[in-house]
Amino acid sequence: MLESVNYHYTLGIDFGTSGARAVVIDATGAVQAETKKSLTFDAITQVSDWERTLFSLIEQIPARIRQQINAIAIDGTSSTVLLCDATGTPVTTPLMYNDARGVAVQAQLKAIAPPQHTVLSATSSLAKLLWLSQQPGFNDAQYFLHQADWLAFLLHGKLGISDYHNALKLGYDVEHFCYPAWLTQLAIAHLLPEVVVPGTPIAEVTASIAKRFGLRRDCYVCAGTTDSIAAFLASGAVSPGEAVTSLGSTLVLKLLSQTRIENSLYGIYSHRLGDLWLTGGASNTGGAVLQQFFSNAELEQFSRQINPQQVSPLDYYPLLQSGDRFPVNDPNLQPRLEPRPDNRVEFLHGLLESIARIEYQGYQLLQQLGATPLTRIYTAGGGAANATWTAIRQRYFDVPLVMSQHTEAAYGTALLALRSINHNRNS
């Protein structure tokens, strides 16, 4: 239990698929400061850039606000992982959330894990760990960490600690709060992190971090979460049947359900959220595909020229490269971007329509598998601001589509820290 002190501000830091952001909130949830930094593809795969970005985000916060921060939590992209030595120094380049080289160990995974388990995916954390265990240099590893785990370590200095949101795709049993026997019996089990409830205060910031950034010495770093769950927490969705679609670089669906849904055939999994389940999946389609063909200015200009009530005849499956995770879980699925009309407005219309169709198929699949009926969809991510896209998506649904109350995942992570600190203070 934390000492009873006067808590002022909490800091949430989000490492997403295209950039990193920080949000500071007060005890009422009001935003006190925001900072952000874009990340190139090369930067999001380099831990040195992660570290620079993390420290830059904190440095950009005004000093008077930094001095009042009492708790910090960090979210990262789900299943972005790396191996570290005993000092926390990475011994491998990180494997990113959508890295599908785990397809090479699928036969091994199927022989280990129960049928339909979340880890039975080419991009799961466990698939990546098994693949890494067969590579040179593996014997130098002491810890297997997720992106959020390693970033938090830079602030509190404790290795080998994760949260059960990040650890779900590693095989952690979120119903019984333990690693299952089939996982702990493996030769790689010694690398598995200790798993705690998201938001759990882990340790105070180190003395060097407190001094460098002018933070309180009693500022706690809390266990984090994933970027998509952070976006859900920020949205305002709280009731079963409410969902959040994150229209960022990728397309992520999260539906708050009374029923837990797990089906690896479709890339569907459920995170625990209190006594409810956050069920859904993540597709590799999304804004990154749009940005391959259009600048931000073009997206805005061309979107205004589209009639959203007119259905595009173009049927695409927009991907940057082969492979998707949900609602089609196939590492070999080929992008479908033809025929491509000469008119670029028509091409954009076809892309927006096709991504909306994939979103609809995802929610339909969740319903068919027994999730709580959909009642409302909040929208987060950069695509949430595109009114034309929203109108196209609304054609597919008979429930309201609304803007998330807060669109930054970092806000949700700050909220996670605030709620946890308040709970620990009052318990």
Side-chain angles (χ1 to χ4, degrees), residues 133-338:
S133 71
Q134 300 170 9
Q135 308 308 310
F138 177 76
N139 291 336
D140 296 329
Q142 294 291 316
Y143 297 98
F144 180 72
L145 298 175
H146 300 89
Q147 182 181 40
D149 309 337
W150 189 78
L151 289 166
F153 151 73
L154 294 179
L155 301 182
H156 59 52
K158 306 292 183 183
L159 282 164
I161 303 174
S162 189
D163 64 89
Y164 65 55
H165 288 160
N166 273 294
L168 180 75
K169 296 179 185 177
L170 186 53
Y172 186 79
D173 185 341
V174 294
E175 258 189 283
H176 300 101
F177 301 106
C178 64
Y179 285 111
W182 58 263
L183 183 52
T184 57
Q185 293 169 0
L186 300 180
I188 56 172
H190 65 286
L191 294 173
L192 299 175
E194 174 190 352
V195 178
V196 299
V197 177
T200 299
I202 296 173
E204 296 171 339
V205 293
T206 63
S208 61
I209 289 293
K211 182 178 180 180
R212 175 174 178 177
F213 298 109
L215 295 169
R216 296 169 59 107
R217 189 62 186 86
D218 62 353
C219 175
Y220 267 83
V221 182
C222 302
T225 183
T226 66
D227 58 341
S228 60
I229 293 182
F232 187 94
L233 295 174
S235 71
V238 294
S239 301
E242 292 185 324
V244 173
T245 294
S246 294
L247 294 175
S249 298
T250 58
L251 171 71
V252 183
L253 312 186
K254 300 286 186 188
L255 169 63
L256 197 57
S257 175
Q258 293 169 319
T259 307
R260 182 182 185 183
I261 308 295
E262 301 281 336
N263 195 312
S264 65
L265 291 177
Y266 301 107
I268 294 172
Y269 52 92
S270 292
H271 283 283
R272 191 182 193 108
L273 202 63
D275 295 327
L276 298 171
W277 296 98
L278 202 50
T279 186
S283 171
N284 292 336
T285 194
V289 182
L290 302 179
Q291 291 178 330
Q292 184 183 36
F293 299 105
F294 304 96
S295 67
N296 289 335
E298 288 173 332
L299 285 171
E300 189 173 335
Q301 176 189 348
F302 295 162
S303 291
R304 288 198 297 266
Q305 299 176 45
I306 294 171
N307 176 2
Q309 300 311 317
Q310 180 179 335
V311 179
S312 170
L314 299 169
D315 183 15
Y316 298 144
Y317 203 109
L319 297 170
L320 289 177
Q321 57 193 26
S322 301
D324 201 10
R325 301 169 285 164
F326 168 83
V328 178
N329 189 11
D330 179 359
N332 299 311
L333 184 69
Q334 297 301 304
R336 191 168 70 246
L337 293 164
E338 300 291 342

